[in-house]
Amino acid sequence: MRETGRSVLIVENLDLASPMGCTVAYYLAAELAEDHEVHALCRRREARREAGSPPEGVRTHAIDTGEVPVLSGLLFVVASTLYAAVLGARHRYDAVYGFQNDLIQGWVGAVAGGGTFVANLQSVPVRQGRDFTAEGDTDRSVSERLSLALYGAYAAVTGRLIRQADAVVSLTPGIRDLTAETYDLDLSDASVVGMGIDTEKFGPQASDSSPTAPVADGSGETTGERGASRSGNGGGADPWTLVYVGTIRATRGLGDVIEALAVTDHDVELRIAGTGPDEHVADLRHLAAERDVADRVEWLGLVPHDEVPALLRAADVAVSPLADIESYRVSYPAKLLEYLAAGCLVVATDIEPHRLLIEDGENGYLHDPGAAGFRRALDRCLDAADHQRVREAARETATERDWEAVVAEHEHAVFGRVSAGPDH
């Protein structure tokens, strides 16, 4: 039987009113709150409050430090560190979770209350930003440059804070190993716990418990029927719909997808949900026009998290054409879990994180980096005759990573026991 009654403080610099950007913290708090006393110390952001609300049963301590670039972030660090000390001394939590950008607050809260300090690593602190800051953005504002400088200074204390942790939980083996290398740490005892997925939200619609949930475009067909009716040649009346959800930047490989649209023999449309640097988005729009496929690319902008499941259910294929860079090689492909749970046919770069979830030809399709590799995998995907089998395998993969199972792994790592729930 699952033990209850533990007390936990989770520190996160984003507002837990939405899981966007703080997915692990949000669902960790939500699941733990079912059996434990859970507090969350976070930064209050009105825009996120309008989009949602904190997990039910979680007592949130949200600090509003305004929206002034850099200054508001610094104020939050100072205010939340003091607040963590007060909360820790008052509530004496059994465990305090500090994520990689909130290790100071986590350590202070744990020391003040005598609890277990958990360093939760979702990326390599400081280091993983280097891949992105090296993209050649020479026109950064003064505030952006200052923010990068302050973030770099944080690296000076990061290693010491991780050494002080009673438990370290890393999202992937790559993050664990690269963090150990970067800060000269022994993390052999660190626990590796991957990402989870809300299978109820991203799976088949509640009104249809079958594997072929109705798509969100009102066509009346199911995702399975759409794929099956066009298997082999893509010759149906409607074009195949590709979707990408996420940040738009050079390392995300959307240029390769646009190039493939221009040369594939299939009738394909692409929907892009997300935002990124204006200059890069303009370059992609120019590329689409230059390749004469601008009318087949729809730019949706930032799509609210609650609307993403319907967007995925309305698509035939979901893509993740990431570049083969260090940050992606050690990261966890959380977006793929959403794609898989929705039953999309997934086409993704053949890199280590994608191989954690995708077995080529079984529950998705992997491709060599670059436009030519993406086109070959896309054609292979669209020409396949077993789309429904692949969709069902995709959903099964996602089900194995339900948040209940993932949070049970967190509990085992911190409290030394396995909770009730799926065997994992």
Side-chain angles (χ1 to χ4, degrees):
M1 183 173 179
R2 184 169 178 167
E3 294 183 35
T4 60
R6 300 283 189 171
S7 60
V8 180
L9 173 65
I10 294 173
V11 185
E12 170 59 64
N13 59 46
L14 291 175
D15 197 332
L16 261 66
S18 167
M20 186 82 70
C22 56
T23 308
V24 171
Y26 182 94
Y27 284 104
L28 182 62
E31 287 291 333
L32 287 177
E34 294 185 7
D35 295 284
H36 307 285
E37 178 187 352
V38 178
H39 292 215
L41 176 58
C42 62
R43 182 177 171 187
R44 184 181 182 90
R45 309 295 287 268
E46 290 306 320
R48 293 172 70 87
R49 295 272 158 165
E50 293 172 2
S53 59
E56 186 176 348
V58 177
R59 182 175 176 183
T60 57
H61 307 269
I63 302 175
D64 188 350
T65 57
E67 299 294 337
V68 180
V70 182
L71 178 60
S72 293
L74 285 173
L75 286 174
F76 175 75
V77 172
V78 174
S80 60
T81 299
L82 295 173
Y83 205 155
V86 172
L87 289 173
R90 179 178 180 182
H91 296 281
R92 302 188 66 81
Y93 301 104
D94 292 304
V96 179
Y97 265 79
F99 288 80
Q100 63 267 12
N101 294 330
D102 309 290
L103 295 177
I104 294 174
Q105 302 96 309
W107 175 71
V108 167
V111 169
T116 297
F117 170 40
V118 185
N120 195 299
L121 305 177
Q122 302 298 300
S123 64
V124 181
V126 181
R127 175 166 176 162
Q128 272 190 266
R130 294 175 187 171
D131 278 338
F132 306 124
T133 57
E135 286 184 7
D137 297 338
T138 57
D139 298 327
R140 293 194 188 93
S141 66
V142 173
S143 64
E144 289 174 327
R145 292 177 183 276
L146 179 58
S147 180
L148 286 171
L150 291 171
Y151 191 51
Y154 179 60
V157 298
T158 296
R160 293 183 180 181
L161 289 168
I162 297 175
R163 283 189 180 91
Q164 297 301 315
D166 300 297
V168 176
V169 179
S170 177
L171 187 63
T172 68
I175 289 173
R176 176 199 59 199
D177 297 343
L178 195 53
T179 299
E181 173 192 311
T182 301
Y183 300 104
D184 192 23
L185 300 168
D186 179 5
L187 295 181
S188 57
D189 290 336
S191 299
V192 176
V193 181
M195 190 71 73
I197 181 67
D198 187 338
T199 51
E200 290 187 7
K201 175 182 288 187
F202 283 91
Q205 293 178 346
S207 60
D208 184 357
S209 59
S210 69
T212 53
V215 297
D217 62 3
S219 67
E221 296 177 295
T222 67
T223 53
E225 288 168 350
R226 294 179 72 185
S229 66
R230 298 180 302 189
S231 293
N233 57 22
D238 297 325
W240 293 95
T241 301
L242 274 59
V243 66
Y244 168 85
V245 180
T247 304
I248 302 172
R249 62 191 320 145
T251 54
R252 296 291 177 136
L254 288 173
D256 295 336
V257 182
I258 291 172
E259 293 278 10
L261 254 64
V263 295
T264 181
D265 293 330
H266 295 279
D267 185 8
V268 177
E269 292 181 348
L270 171 65
R271 296 173 182 171
I272 299 175
T275 59
D278 292 342
E279 183 177 354
H280 181 60
V281 174
D283 287 344
L284 290 176
R285 287 178 176 270
H286 177 73
L287 176 64
E290 192 176 62
R291 298 293 187 269
D292 198 28
V293 294
D295 60 336
R296 289 196 272 153
V297 181
E298 184 177 3
W299 303 86
L300 303 177
L302 185 63
V303 174
H305 193 258
D306 286 345
E307 297 178 16
V308 171
L311 176 66
L312 296 178
R313 283 192 289 263
D316 296 300
V317 180
V319 303
S320 184
L322 302 183
D324 187 10
I325 61 174
E326 180 181 88
S327 285
Y328 296 151
R329 286 195 293 270
V330 302
S331 64
Y332 193 93
K335 192 60 60 182
L336 252 61
L337 278 176
E338 297 180 356
Y339 292 172
L340 294 168
C344 291
L345 299 171
V346 177
V347 178
T349 322
D350 188 6
I351 56 178
E352 181 59 32
H354 288 162
R355 289 193 292 270
L356 290 173
L357 295 174
I358 299 294
E359 184 177 352
D360 188 45
E362 294 299 318
N363 61 349
Y365 301 86
L366 297 174
H367 68 87
D368 295 331
F374 178 83
R375 183 213 169 169
R376 287 193 296 270
L378 178 64
D379 287 346
R380 187 159 53 95
C381 168
L382 300 185
D383 287 338
D386 57 352
H387 290 150
Q388 188 55 29
R389 179 192 63 78
V390 176
R391 292 180 189 277
E392 291 176 358
R395 291 193 179 108
E396 183 177 348
T397 299
T399 300
E400 294 172 355
R401 298 302 302 171
D402 180 86
W403 275 112
E404 183 180 355
V406 172
V407 171
E409 294 179 27
H410 278 273
E411 286 187 302
H412 178 61
V414 177
F415 301 132
R417 68 181 193 284
V418 178
S419 308
D423 235 348
H424 201 70

